[in-house]
Amino acid sequence: MFAISLGDDGAELRPLEPWQAAEFLAHMDRGREYIGRYVALPTVCTDLPSARAFLQSYADKAAADTGRVFGIRLDGTLVGGVLLRVMDTAAGTCEAGCWLEPSASGRGLVTRAVRVLIDWAVNERGMHRVEWQVSSANTASINVAKRLGMTKDGVLRESYPYRGVRHDMEVWSVLAPEWREARQGTRDQEAR
């Protein structure tokens, strides 16, 4: 299986597949409350069959070219993940998302992993628009969108009912020309 290094700290990005359901469930159990503050994933993956079904749904999406899921590992341990929740290759649009255990937060892992994901979506799959939808209360995820150079498109007021509360959802995005220009600027600065 392939792995993409996310830096010198032992972090890497790898595909998540159905055969890894037990490890994925253990990861969910370690971060269930923290991850579940804004993301419904821990309520979807509550036991081994549901964890396997979630990963199988993304294996099916990968086969149909409509989504992807990858695990973020730190020194070999699964600590989070990034995904393309939906991917419409005909329209050139996709929605990226993420989750992370509390033990791995504050290290820039999500930003680095999503950067790799967007590079792939834009440069390999030809996506024109990458969206990021986030609860207005989720400051950490909003900060990721900002670090990635995304633009806030607007707020879908009280559009997401979760745990008995209707959340405002912010929509952020980056367009392929903006992404390429920003990435070229980064490469130019690194070359100096």
Side-chain angles (χ1 to χ4, degrees):
M1 178 189 318
F2 76 85
I4 298 171
S5 174
L6 296 176
D8 296 334
D9 58 356
E12 58 187 16
L13 193 63
R14 291 187 194 173
L16 277 174
E17 298 177 358
W19 63 269
Q20 297 167 307
E23 178 186 25
F24 183 69
L25 180 61
H27 156 61
M28 276 296 115
D29 288 342
R30 286 192 305 272
R32 191 167 301 282
E33 269 311 303
Y34 183 79
I35 295 166
R37 293 174 309 154
Y38 304 108
V39 178
L41 184 56
T43 62
V44 172
C45 299
T46 57
D47 56 18
L48 194 55
S50 61
R52 186 174 292 112
F54 173 80
L55 294 176
Q56 184 62 53
S57 74
Y58 274 88
D60 295 344
K61 285 183 178 192
D65 204 21
T66 59
R68 299 286 192 284
V69 64
F70 299 92
I72 299 172
R73 295 180 178 275
L74 195 53
D75 296 323
T77 301
L78 182 63
V79 296
V82 295
L83 53 77
L84 292 175
R85 195 182 70 76
V86 292
M87 195 168 98
D88 183 338
T89 56
T93 61
C94 60
E95 179 192 336
C98 69
W99 70 92
L100 197 63
E101 286 182 22
S103 65
S105 66
R107 299 175 187 216
L109 295 172
V110 166
T111 302
R112 290 184 271 161
V114 175
R115 193 171 286 126
V116 169
L117 193 63
I118 295 173
D119 276 345
W120 178 82
V122 168
N123 297 323
E124 299 296 325
R125 296 304 301 125
M127 295 294 111
H128 177 73
R129 176 184 168 87
V130 179
E131 286 189 0
W132 186 261
Q133 294 191 20
V134 55
S135 168
S136 292
N138 191 345
T139 305
S141 190
I142 291 168
N143 287 337
V144 169
K146 290 176 181 177
R147 283 192 296 275
L148 292 169
M150 292 184 163
T151 298
K152 183 177 175 180
D153 293 333
V155 178
L156 304 172
R157 299 179 309 135
E158 297 185 5
S159 65
Y160 180 54
Y162 181 60
R163 292 187 171 181
V165 176
R166 295 198 71 84
H167 292 259
D168 289 351
M169 294 299 288
E170 296 186 11
V171 178
W172 291 73
S173 69
V174 65
L175 304 179
E178 298 165 340
W179 184 255
R180 287 186 188 110
E181 183 179 328
R183 295 295 282 155
Q184 185 59 48
T186 300
R187 285 188 285 274
D188 290 347
Q189 284 181 345
E190 290 171 354
R192 291 182 196 163

